[in-house]
Amino acid sequence: MGVFRIAVFASGRGSNFQALVDAQSNGLIDGEISLLVCDKPQAAVVERARKAGVDCFLFQPKDYASREDYEREIAAELSKRGIDLIVLAGYMRLLTSVLVEPYSGRMINIHPSLLPSFSGKDAIKQALDYGVKMTGITVHFVDGGMDTGPVIAQRAVEILEGDDEDSLSQRIHAMEQQLYPEVVTWFTKGMVELNGRNVAIAAPAKR
Ligand code: GAR
C-alpha cells in the first residue's frame, strides 16, 4: 500500500500538531502529515507547519457565506492529496456534513476532558469549576455532534490541591502530546475497529 496521508486541522498554538510532526520525523508515525488546515492565518501553528515543510490551507471563515462553502474548498484540497485520516488538534470550529460524512470513521479529535463530561469550550476550566478530582483527555471519532463520537482512547489526569488552569493545562497538554501520536499510529497500522459506539484496538494489520 502507498503512503498513509494525514491532514491536521488546528486553530491555535499547535502543540499537538508539533507532537505529530515530531513523531513523523522520529519514525513513530509511519505516514505523512501532508496538510495543515487552519482557520486563523496568524496562529502559531502555521509557523510550525512552515518550519516542518507541511503544506497549509489557510482561510478566514468571514470570507465565506457559510461553513459549507469553506468546507467544500477544504474537501477539494483533501481529496486532491488523497488524505486517509483527518486529525483535529485544537480546531475550534464545528464541522458540517460536507466533511463529517465523507470522512466518517476517518476523522478524529482530541478533547481535554474525560468525555462525556465537560464537552465544548474551556473543558479544563469547566472541570476545575465543577470541583472534580479527576479529569483527563479523550481521543474520539468525529460525528455530527459536539464531542459526541465514539471514544478511541482516554487517559486520566488527577486534579491536585492548589491546581489552577495553568498548572492543570500543562499536565493535560503533556499527556495529549504523548497519546495523540500513539493513536495516529494505530490508524496507520489499521488497528482501530469501530462497532457501533464501541472501538477496539486490534493487533497491527499487514499493509
Ligand atoms: C488541546 O488541549 C485540545 O485538547 C483542545 O485544544 C487544545 C489545543 O492545543 N481541543 C479542544 O478543546 C476541542 N474541543 P494545541 O493548539 O497546543 O494543540
Side-chain angles (χ1 to χ4, degrees):
M1 253 177 89
V3 178
F4 187 96
R5 294 199 164 81
I6 299 159
V8 180
F9 287 32
S11 307
R13 218 167 37 127
S15 68
N16 281 289
F17 173 81
Q18 190 67 53
L20 293 164
V21 163
D22 293 346
Q24 182 194 321
S25 329
N26 67 28
L28 177 69
I29 291 178
D30 181 13
E32 179 190 274
I33 299 168
S34 308
L35 184 67
L36 170 73
V37 173
C38 180
D39 59 323
K40 294 213 170 77
Q42 310 302 326
V45 68
V46 175
E47 190 49 38
R48 293 183 192 268
R50 296 224 159 100
K51 279 204 179 117
V54 173
D55 282 358
C56 297
F57 178 77
L58 307 178
F59 67 101
Q60 306 221 57
K62 67 173 169 59
D63 296 339
Y64 296 82
S66 70
R67 275 194 287 167
E68 285 80 358
D69 280 354
Y70 63 70
E71 286 191 3
R72 272 188 279 273
E73 280 191 19
I74 296 171
E77 291 293 327
L78 299 172
S79 55
K80 199 163 80 188
R81 290 174 166 81
I83 295 297
D84 296 295
L85 181 70
I86 297 177
V87 176
L88 306 184
Y91 180 69
M92 295 305 189
R93 297 202 164 264
L94 278 176
L95 294 160
T96 76
S97 56
V98 170
L99 286 173
V100 173
E101 275 172 17
Y103 287 91
S104 169
R106 299 188 295 147
M107 189 187 318
I108 63 176
N109 181 42
I110 192 160
H111 183 79
S113 75
L114 292 174
L115 290 171
S117 291
F118 312 127
S119 60
K121 276 190 167 172
D122 300 324
I124 297 173
K125 181 170 186 304
Q126 287 186 55
L128 281 168
D129 289 350
Y130 195 94
V132 290
K133 303 296 183 197
M134 195 68 90
T135 184
I137 60 177
T138 303
V139 178
H140 63 91
F141 281 106
V142 176
D143 65 8
M146 161 121 77
D147 302 326
T148 50
V151 171
I152 302 165
Q154 292 186 303
R155 296 288 181 270
V157 175
E158 196 175 348
I159 297 184
L160 307 173
E161 206 151 310
D163 255 341
D164 58 16
E165 224 179 310
D166 277 353
S167 59
L168 181 56
S169 296
Q170 272 184 29
R171 298 204 302 288
I172 284 186
H173 288 143
M175 191 155 280
E176 287 185 339
Q177 289 153 32
Q178 261 184 16
L179 179 64
Y180 219 9
E182 192 184 340
V183 170
V184 170
T185 66
W186 298 346
F187 279 89
T188 64
K189 293 179 179 161
M191 294 164 63
V192 183
E193 292 171 2
L194 176 60
N195 290 307
R197 278 208 64 89
N198 290 305
V199 176
I201 309 304
K206 294 222 166 69
R207 286 181 63 218

